Amino acid sequence: MIKFNKLICAGAVIVSLGAVAGPGGAVKTSGGNAVAVVLPAGERTRFEKTAKDELCRYLAKVTGKNVAAFGEGDFADGRAIYVGRTRFAAACGIDLRTFKEEEWCVKEVGGSLVVAGGDIGTLYAAYRFLEDAVGVHWLDPTESGEH
């Protein structure tokens, strides 16, 4: 069951990633990276780690830009994609403690994105965002099946 589902259309994703990257190109976050993916500070679940890996991998392929991952404590506040149980998600009123294991949300807040959910729901949110908003599709489970 989906607790909260606010998907962003593909055009809005480009605008949102542009906001993360900065107007007219890349305002770099760190080490020449143009898009930042932020994880919770401290211990992360395996699903949060996998969601981060998948977002970084496919956003880099689609945008042609570097995608950096940060722990929330290591990231200077700014526009980013916040994955899982971050303080940013909580500050935006998303109480992930109320989510069941497979529930998820994708929400745009002030030019940043929250991609989160209950346990495996965070990974489901990442895949849903990549499929519906970014246009990534997996036709079979090999790299040749990615479109």
Side-chain angles (χ1 to χ4, degrees):
M1 169 171 267
I2 300 169
K3 185 171 193 101
F4 180 75
N5 177 7
K6 179 182 178 186
L7 288 178
I8 300 149
C9 69
V13 169
I14 301 297
V15 171
S16 181
L17 289 176
V20 171
V27 172
K28 296 174 176 141
T29 56
S30 173
N33 299 299
V35 178
V37 174
V38 180
L39 290 160
E43 191 66 30
R44 294 151 189 147
T45 70
R46 66 184 172 136
F47 298 115
E48 288 169 336
K49 292 175 190 174
T50 302
K52 177 265 302 176
D53 291 342
E54 296 290 74
L55 287 166
C56 288
R57 177 179 178 195
Y58 290 105
L59 288 173
K61 283 184 173 189
V62 169
T63 65
K65 297 179 185 269
N66 293 326
V67 180
F70 298 90
E72 199 165 23
D74 299 324
F75 181 71
D77 290 335
R79 293 180 175 153
I81 300 172
Y82 291 86
V83 177
R85 302 163 292 117
T86 59
R87 291 186 306 270
F88 182 83
C92 295
I94 301 169
D95 184 1
L96 294 172
R97 296 172 300 176
T98 66
F99 281 57
K100 293 180 181 163
E101 181 178 350
E102 295 184 356
E103 293 177 329
W104 55 271
C105 73
V106 174
K107 183 176 182 181
E108 188 274 338
V109 180
S112 289
L113 293 174
V114 174
V115 176
D119 203 22
I120 197 170
T122 294
L123 183 57
Y124 291 168
Y127 284 133
R128 183 61 154 243
F129 170 73
L130 288 169
E131 287 180 321
D132 291 351
V134 181
V136 175
H137 299 285
W138 296 268
L139 303 178
D140 68 56
T142 65
E143 193 165 324
S144 65
E146 299 170 354
H147 293 279

